[in-house]
Amino acid sequence: MTLVIAMNSAQKIDIRDGMQIDWDVPITMDDGLILRADVFRPPRHGRFPVIITYGPYAKGLAFQDGYPSAWQRMIAEHPDVAYGSSNLYQNWEVVDPEKWVPDGYACVRVDSRGAGRSPGYIDPFSPRETKDFHDCIEWAGVQPWSNGKVGLNGISYYGMNQWHVATLQPPHLTAMCIWEGAADWYRDMTNHGGILSTFFANWYDLQVKTVQYGLGERGPRSRVTGELVCGDETFSDAELAKNRCDFGDQILAHPLDDGYHRGRSPIWEKITTPFLSAANWGGQGLHARGNFESIVRAAVKEKWLEAHGLEHWTHFYTDYGRHLQKRFFDYFLKGEKNGWDRQPPVQLQVRHVDRFVERHETEWPIARTQWTRFHLDPAAHRLERKPVTSSGSVAYEAPGEGVTFVSAPLDEETEITGPLAAKLFISSSTTDADLFLVFRVFTPDLREVVFMGAIDPHTPITQGWLRASHRKLDAKLSTEYRPYHTHDLNQPLKPGEIVELDVEIWPTSIVVPAGHRIALTVRGKDYEWQKTTGARLSNFKNELRGCGPFLHDDPRDRPASVFGGKVTLHMGPQHGSYVLLPIIPKK
């Protein structure tokens, strides 16, 4: 039953499904632009803690309508997601208010500038958006239905921009849950190891332009209200184009980590808000690095890490994820003495080949880690525990499959949990080389072990990337297990000259059974599990063949004249090449 208790030309208020819903609430920005928000809150007088999100995916577009393939997979495999809710208000990557409002929360969804029912110019992750988000938080903190404590909770985009707005330190911001939210606009998102990722250009086409304000009658309608999801005005294609940035070209125009990227990245020293940071082991390319980096670098003392597997949207909605989030927010936003202050700083779903096992730790990286080098042997293409005693080299065509170094069968079950790194010595027949590193596991009969990753159903254990001309390290931030590149200088190669490279490989977790083998592949293009898989999702352009949508195949960034040459790996006593593994001894 729905009771409409107020209506005017811009806004209406419903009492339905146990909630009071204020539709299209206006929030005025400092430049006079009015953004629109939906507010879901308990249908009674009172002041409630607020969970707010700000983003471009259109608050009126149902999860089921915008992302049908992801929705169907999730509810089929995790029925607890749909249970206990009408699912009318389920939206992509934000909380289901039907599962939060009954517990005394107000849930606010704001359409970001230029998206959904908010007019304006679209410029994702820009300082302008971050300032808008700040002002929305402060608006929510002083509403008559707010207790003055505002929390942020969301996946991906709705996690990434939490890092950015926290840098501005809005006074009413009290706690954050960043679920698989990248942080560094350059290293996590647009230029992996200095190599351009084409993801955001494609994402912009399929997930942002499709819900731009001004589509009006050309866009979808809300399945709840019947209102136009993308505003009541209908613009021409030319008008729509005028109201948005050229996102892919904008990213391409900034190949180094300059002010453009830094303006879209957190300042870790200024992040003082308590947070829960949730990473995905299979989130290579977007949904992992920033969450781990935050635990190491953010200034705040009250910070917790959680790491899990499966699709990046799944555990946010399952009972497992929701209960964890609520314990965190109940403690910080409601002041409940629920034991969260005794929650261990790190909660890991340690990955086995057939299951996940929950374990708690007191720090990240894990203090008892045995950092172990596996050396690259050029003669046998092996990974060896002992340093290689004879010199040698292996050459491969950069556009080809590269070369794989495989260990002997492991004598015992071995847990590898944490960040990885590699040291390589290479030369190129051209003035640069792009290195794609894939850490892999094989069964005794040499079948590769892959997992359902954040996006791709055939994800390898972990990956790392580096453009050789970006090899300069930041001496202050680098460690042996996490080399940190400045990406502020091009250092072209001289054809045939050997250079030393330290390559960051993103954190992972895998318990490798005895008899299995580990391997490192070095190649000059993206990993492929198979040439074709038939795996697709409705919101991505490409077939999912191992890397999901996180590809590095823009010829403007990787001209064949430079990156299509021959690369040589040099190994031996003078060129000690290895992969560094975080081996965790049993307690």
Side-chain angles (χ1 to χ4, degrees):
M1 178 179 179
T2 302
L3 172 64
V4 179
I5 61 175
M7 181 178 290
N8 57 43
S9 60
Q11 185 181 346
K12 71 175 182 179
I13 300 172
D14 288 345
I15 300 291
R16 57 182 298 162
D17 298 311
M19 302 179 289
Q20 177 171 325
I21 309 172
D22 303 1
W23 303 104
D24 264 357
V25 178
I27 308 176
T28 304
M29 298 296 98
D30 62 353
D31 62 353
L33 186 82
I34 295 176
L35 303 181
R36 294 290 174 178
D38 293 338
V39 180
F40 304 81
R41 53 195 173 100
R44 64 181 186 274
H45 291 295
R47 293 181 177 271
F48 310 102
V50 180
I51 300 293
I52 188 171
T53 50
Y54 170 102
Y57 294 147
K59 61 184 177 61
L61 183 65
F63 194 138
Q64 303 94 314
D65 297 335
Y67 303 86
S69 54
W71 173 256
Q72 290 300 327
R73 180 185 180 95
M74 181 168 62
I75 63 170
E77 298 187 7
H78 304 277
D80 55 316
V81 171
Y83 181 77
S85 172
S86 72
N87 299 300
L88 287 172
Y89 314 98
Q90 289 273 16
N91 276 41
W92 179 246
E93 299 187 336
V94 297
V95 302
D96 177 3
E98 282 190 271
K99 293 189 175 183
W100 286 78
V101 170
D103 289 335
Y105 284 92
C107 299
V108 179
R109 294 173 175 169
V110 186
D111 276 340
S112 58
R113 183 176 292 244
R117 292 185 63 81
S118 291
Y121 183 83
I122 297 181
D123 189 4
F125 299 109
S126 65
R128 175 68 262 180
E129 274 205 353
T130 303
K131 180 58 167 63
D132 288 348
F133 197 6
H134 169 283
D135 292 354
C136 290
I137 290 167
E138 290 307 291
W139 172 88
V142 298
Q143 295 307 298
W145 38 261
S146 169
N147 74 351
K149 294 185 176 181
V150 179
L152 312 180
N153 191 18
I155 314 173
S156 195
Y157 197 105
Y158 297 105
M160 298 171 196
N161 61 10
Q162 293 184 43
W163 300 126
H164 307 160
V165 76
T167 296
L168 300 183
Q169 299 180 341
H172 287 93
L173 179 57
T174 306
M176 309 186 296
C177 175
I178 304 94
W179 204 270
E180 301 188 32
D184 188 310
W185 183 234
Y186 191 91
R187 293 162 184 80
D188 298 357
M189 298 190 245
T190 63
N191 290 264
H192 300 128
I195 308 168
L196 178 71
S197 170
T198 57
F199 169 72
F200 274 103
N202 295 329
W203 162 86
Y204 194 53
D205 288 343
L206 290 180
Q207 293 185 238
V208 179
K209 291 181 183 179
T210 52
V211 288
Q212 183 178 354
Y213 177 88
L215 281 171
E217 294 285 353
R218 301 161 63 190
R221 287 184 178 271
S222 166
R223 64 164 53 191
V224 179
T225 66
E227 299 288 338
L228 293 166
V229 166
C230 301
D232 296 327
E233 299 179 277
T234 302
F235 294 160
S236 67
D237 288 345
E239 290 173 310
L240 290 170
K242 186 179 179 181
N243 283 336
R244 63 180 183 245
C245 70
D246 294 321
F247 201 43
D249 288 344
Q250 190 179 74
I251 295 168
L252 178 68
H254 296 271
L256 297 177
D257 185 16
D258 57 13
Y260 166 77
H261 293 282
R262 290 190 292 273
R264 290 158 172 78
S265 299
I267 301 173
W268 293 115
E269 296 79 8
K270 292 186 177 182
I271 293 184
T272 56
T273 304
F275 65 77
L276 169 62
S277 182
N280 191 312
W281 300 123
Q284 302 143 35
L286 190 63
H287 298 109
R289 183 184 185 274
N291 293 103
F292 291 108
E293 195 78 356
S294 69
I295 294 300
V296 177
R297 298 185 61 194
V300 64
K301 303 286 187 199
E302 296 175 296
K303 52 188 175 183
W304 288 263
L305 172 67
E306 188 275 349
H308 55 267
L310 305 181
E311 306 92 342
H312 90 96
W313 55 83
T314 296
H315 268 316
F316 181 81
Y317 294 98
T318 63
D319 289 347
Y320 164 78
R322 183 168 49 86
H323 291 160
L324 187 71
Q325 296 157 34
K326 280 191 177 175
R327 284 184 56 227
F328 170 76
F329 284 117
D330 285 350
Y331 179 80
F332 282 103
L333 302 187
K334 293 182 177 181
E336 291 187 3
K337 304 301 181 184
N338 60 7
W340 183 266
D341 55 328
R342 298 188 299 277
Q343 171 78 9
V346 177
Q347 178 169 310
L348 306 178
Q349 298 296 328
V350 177
R351 183 167 59 179
H352 294 244
V353 296
D354 57 352
R355 67 194 186 281
F356 294 90
V357 177
E358 185 168 300
R359 190 177 73 224
H360 294 95
E361 299 288 347
T362 56
E363 70 287 305
W364 181 267
I366 299 169
R368 66 183 186 281
T369 300
Q370 296 175 347
W371 300 102
T372 304
R373 296 180 181 182
F374 278 75
H375 302 267
L376 277 59
D377 179 354
H381 289 194
R382 292 281 291 270
L383 287 181
E384 300 284 3
R385 286 185 177 265
K386 294 182 179 180
V388 176
T389 57
S390 59
S391 298
S393 63
V394 177
Y396 63 89
E397 297 292 335
E401 301 298 321
V403 57
T404 298
F405 299 85
V406 183
S407 76
L410 298 183
D411 293 332
E412 60 182 359
E413 181 181 84
T414 304
E415 179 184 340
I416 300 167
T417 297
L420 290 73
K423 183 177 285 292
L424 301 174
F425 293 83
I426 73 136
S427 61
S428 173
S429 62
T430 70
T431 56
D432 214 338
D434 283 347
L435 300 186
F436 295 71
L437 272 58
V438 189
F439 182 72
R440 309 163 78 178
V441 167
F442 290 90
T443 63
D445 59 353
L446 295 180
R447 289 177 292 110
E448 185 173 9
V449 177
V450 293
F451 295 92
M452 179 66 238
I455 301 295
D456 199 291
H458 306 102
T459 302
I461 307 303
T462 188
Q463 300 183 72
W465 306 262
L466 184 64
R467 176 159 288 174
S469 60
H470 285 226
R471 61 190 176 275
K472 178 186 171 186
L473 291 171
D474 185 315
K476 291 183 178 180
L477 292 176
S478 289
T479 65
E480 185 184 18
Y481 59 77
R482 202 275 271 117
Y484 191 95
H485 299 87
T486 61
H487 296 295
D488 60 357
L489 176 68
N490 275 315
Q491 297 178 301
L493 305 180
K494 295 178 181 179
E497 182 180 40
I498 300 173
V499 296
E500 179 179 351
L501 306 180
D502 293 281
V503 186
E504 176 184 5
I505 302 175
W506 285 19
T508 192
S509 177
I510 179 64
V511 177
V512 185
H516 281 50
R517 301 170 188 255
I518 59 175
L520 180 72
T521 296
V522 184
R523 51 195 281 141
K525 63 178 182 178
D526 285 306
Y527 167 86
E528 289 180 350
W529 181 66
Q530 287 184 173
K531 293 297 182 184
T532 184
T533 65
R536 290 185 177 272
L537 287 172
S538 56
N539 51 311
F540 299 122
K541 291 181 178 180
N542 62 290
E543 184 181 19
L544 306 179
R545 296 187 293 173
C547 291
F550 308 112
L551 303 178
H552 307 80
D553 55 2
D554 190 327
R556 296 173 297 175
D557 179 64
R558 307 186 67 222
S561 59
V562 177
F563 297 99
K566 181 172 288 188
V567 176
T568 302
L569 303 176
H570 301 268
M571 291 151 278
Q574 302 302 315
H575 302 108
S577 299
Y578 59 82
V579 58
L580 182 71
L581 304 185
I583 294 179
I584 309 300
K586 294 179 180 180
K587 287 186 176 180

